[in-house]
Every structure is written in C-alpha cells, then in structure tokens.
Amino acid sequence: MRCSVPRPVAWVSVSSSSASSAAASPSGPPTGLAPLSLCAREPHVPADRLVAEMVPPPRFDAVRFGTYIPDPAQPSQTEAVGVLEQFAAGLGPAPSSGSGRRRLFGFGKAPRKAPAGPRGVYLDGGYGVGKTHLLASLWHATPAEPSLKAFGTFVELTNLVGALGFQQTVRTLSGHRLLCIDEFELDDPGDTVLVSTLLGKLVEAGVALAATSNTLPGKLGEGRFAAADFLREIQGLSAHFRALRIDGEDYRHRGLPEAPPPYSDDVVTAAAQATDGASLDAFPDLLDHLAKVHPSRYGALTDGLRAVCLTGVRPVPDQSTALRLVVLADRLYDREIPVLASGLPFDQLFGEEMLKGGYRKKYFRAISRLTALARDAGRLTGDR
C-alpha cells in the first residue's frame, strides 16, 4: 500500500496549441473524455506535499531486497544486497516522536546524537544496474514508520529546501531515521555545497544517509560515477559513507527486444482517443510548456494519467530544454506511465554534442527510461 498521504494539487487551465485542446479542471486533475493534455496543466504544489511525498515512487512501491535478482556474473550485486540488509537492521527501532507534520513545525523530541562509525552508504554503479531498486529496498527494510524515513532525488531535496528554507528543512528532517537521496547531482557547485551542508547537519542529528549519484561534467566514457569524486565533493562527509560498487549492464535492456519504432500521427492520436486517462500533445508544444512549469511540479503534472501520447518527436534543441525533459522522463518512469510517440525514435532525442558532454549520463538514462516506457505503450495499439 502506498505510504504517502493524499496529494492536494491546485490546477490552473492554460491555453495550448497542442494536439489536444482538453482543459484542466480548476478544482482537480482533468477528468472526462480522452485525450487530456499536459500542455493544459499548470499544477501548483503546496510545500507540505513535497514533504509527504518523500517516499519511494510508485514504480518502487513493492520492491524489496528479495525481489532484486543479482546477475550471477556480477558478484558485487549480491554483496551489495547483503551489506544493505545489515545496514538497515543496524538502524534499530524508530523512536516514538511526533508525526512528520509536527516535526515540520519544529515539535517532537530533540534530535538524536549521531552514533560513532559510518552512517551512510553510497551505491556506485552505472545506470540500469538496479541502484534505485536497492535504495528503495533499504527504505522499506529500515525499521521505522514511513513518516520517519525520507526518499527523494537530489532535485526534490533542493526543491524542499527552496520551499521550506534551509533551517526549517533541517528541523523537518532531523527527526528521521533515514534519508535516501537518489541521483545525487554534482553538476551545480552551489547546490552541492547546499546539500552537503544540509547532510552535515542531519548527520549531527543522528540521521542515517544513503545515496546514488550522477556523473560530473567532463567524466566522459564512464559507465558509472566514481565513488572517489562523490566523496571528495561532499567534503567533510566522506567519513560517514561506505561506498558499494555495483557492476552490471543496464537491466532495462538485458534480454529484452529493441524499442518499437515510432508510430504514425494517426495511430498515436487514435490510441489517445481510445485510452481513458491518456494525454495527447505535440512534442514541440510540450517542450515549450515544460519551460513554464517548475521541475518540482513535473510529478504533479502527470497526476491521474494512464498514458502519455506524443506526436512529432524531434531532436531537443538545446541543453536547458534537454535537462527539463530528463526530469519529466524520470517522473514518467517512476510512475510507470507508458509513452506512445510518433516522429523520431527516442535514441535520437539528444544530439551528438549533448551525448558527449558533461550531462551525458543523464541523457542516456532518459533514453533508457523512455525506451522502456515505449515498449510498455505497445499495449495501447494492440502490439502487446
């Protein structure tokens, strides 16, 4: 069962030149005749939702250490499971402090003092080796109430700081037993210092940490992010982390067929019209609309959708647009929303210069995830 509380969202209807003219209801996610339109949605997310939703995304609701299937050819995967199981067990029972909402306003028991020894684990591996699966399994296995554990991406954590302020974020998270940070980003030095300082305060309060991360600019040709770089960038926190290397291939393509080729505009449109809860947008219009919605709201942008249908997929024109699309791809993948598209295949979204640049790993992750969602979309056309 999902551990988060109901998600209040204020919806604003905006005009759109997208493939669908469906509008959003001002009082909730759009309902009624398909297709809907992402371009007609402009969600406003309250700060308390950001806190309440710091749990593993829907795709990882049911994952556990027992559902992670290590590759026999990669012993580091089996070793990582054992270490993480011991780490979770060592966190002990949760204290009976106030609820997450009470801590949000500074109530509850005083923060615990940090015990001696490493209080963090860092999962070091390439995209698609199951790092998020293991991170979510650690969250589920930690013996604490859901309100005393937090799970989010680096971007979601920085958005929380922006919504609450630094000191309030420290007070909010200090009563937690565990903070899991997926896809720790070191691309922005300012954000890295901000989050590193936050983590230092949380370690002092006795919060256990777990993280995965993305590659730094200039780290080309690497299938994984180097643990030494992560530990160096978080400066004084390095002593609190044990690095676990997880080798392996991208599981999303291990033994699976190639992604289906793009469909025609007519097929995509017909599928959107025939699928309850599907959205239909022209890809260029969607890219323009993403620039008007803060990335912290991309999850809310997809609320209630059962499929995303896009016409006219083409190469992304610039890096800022590309990075926004990466965030949307992550939110769609987390929520297991299939993507049916016409135009170019997803492996042609990002130009050669982008795929050789500092954000290379993010773009390959987006291609990998969108390809997986394109396979899932086959059922919308009867191909599966």
Side-chain angles (χ1 to χ4, degrees):
M1 178 178 293
R2 189 86 174 127
C3 297
S4 61
V5 299
R7 307 173 175 182
V9 179
W11 290 85
V12 177
S13 177
V14 296
S15 61
S16 170
S17 57
S18 68
S20 169
S21 61
S25 165
S27 61
T31 59
L33 297 177
L36 308 171
S37 172
L38 288 171
C39 293
R41 295 178 158 200
E42 192 172 324
H44 294 277
V45 183
D48 58 352
R49 170 173 169 170
L50 297 178
V51 178
E53 289 197 333
M54 292 194 73
V55 297
R59 177 175 285 270
F60 299 98
D61 272 348
V63 302
R64 299 293 187 275
F65 290 128
T67 64
Y68 181 81
I69 304 176
D71 184 344
Q74 305 292 348
S76 62
Q77 296 183 7
T78 300
E79 179 184 2
V81 171
V83 171
L84 290 172
E85 287 178 326
Q86 293 177 5
F87 184 76
L91 294 180
S96 55
S97 62
S99 68
R101 177 172 288 275
R102 291 181 65 202
R103 287 193 310 279
L104 178 64
F105 297 101
F107 302 118
K109 291 187 176 181
R112 303 172 306 279
K113 294 296 183 181
R119 291 290 292 169
V121 290
Y122 166 66
L123 309 185
D124 179 27
Y127 50 87
V129 299
K131 298 191 304 298
T132 302
H133 183 137
L134 291 173
L135 195 66
S137 298
L138 173 63
W139 187 93
H140 288 297
T142 296
E145 298 176 8
S147 62
L148 298 178
K149 300 180 287 187
F151 184 108
T153 65
F154 181 89
V155 171
E156 290 169 329
L157 186 59
T158 57
N159 289 336
L160 183 67
V161 175
L164 300 182
F166 182 84
Q167 294 300 332
Q168 187 61 65
T169 302
V170 172
R171 288 192 291 269
T172 299
L173 298 178
S174 288
H176 284 57
R177 298 293 288 162
L178 173 70
L179 171 62
C180 296
I181 307 172
D182 199 20
E183 300 162 6
F184 197 112
E185 297 185 5
L186 302 177
D187 309 306
D188 187 317
D191 282 346
T192 300
V193 172
L194 172 69
V195 175
S196 294
T197 304
L198 172 64
L199 297 185
K201 297 291 186 182
L202 297 181
V203 166
E204 291 176 3
V207 181
L209 307 174
T212 70
S213 76
N214 293 320
T215 189
L216 280 170
K219 291 292 181 181
L220 307 181
E222 295 185 2
R224 64 184 185 89
F225 178 86
D229 292 324
F230 172 80
L231 297 176
R232 181 182 66 249
E233 292 297 323
I234 61 174
Q235 302 173 12
L237 288 175
S238 60
H240 295 286
F241 280 89
R242 172 179 178 178
L244 300 177
R245 178 169 179 171
I246 306 172
D247 297 308
E249 301 174 1
D250 186 340
Y251 79 91
R252 287 184 288 271
H253 302 298
R254 201 184 298 156
L256 296 175
E258 292 295 323
Y263 295 89
S264 68
D265 287 353
D266 289 342
V267 169
V268 172
T269 300
Q273 293 171 341
T275 304
D276 184 35
S279 66
L280 176 62
D281 294 278
F283 185 70
D285 294 339
L286 177 59
L287 295 184
D288 290 342
H289 185 61
L290 292 180
K292 305 172 186 176
V293 180
H294 192 276
S296 66
R297 303 173 184 171
Y298 286 5
L301 192 69
T302 67
D303 279 355
L305 291 185
R306 298 180 61 187
V308 167
C309 298
L310 301 171
T311 58
V313 171
R314 66 184 186 186
V316 179
D318 57 77
Q319 188 153 266
S320 295
T321 302
L323 292 174
R324 287 192 290 268
L325 183 60
V326 167
V327 176
L328 179 63
D330 288 340
R331 302 291 82 79
L332 293 172
Y333 183 78
D334 288 345
R335 290 157 175 77
E336 300 182 294
I337 300 175
V339 179
L340 190 73
S342 67
L344 293 178
F346 288 130
D347 60 3
Q348 296 182 31
L349 278 174
F350 309 108
E352 183 177 355
E353 184 175 347
M354 290 184 184
L355 295 180
K356 290 183 177 180
Y359 299 107
R360 171 183 181 273
K361 188 173 181 179
K362 292 184 181 181
Y363 299 144
F364 274 99
R365 185 181 78 239
I367 291 171
S368 177
R369 292 184 167 186
L370 288 172
T371 296
L373 296 176
R375 290 197 197 99
D376 295 342
R379 66 176 183 269
L380 303 179
T381 65
D383 289 354
R384 275 183 33 176

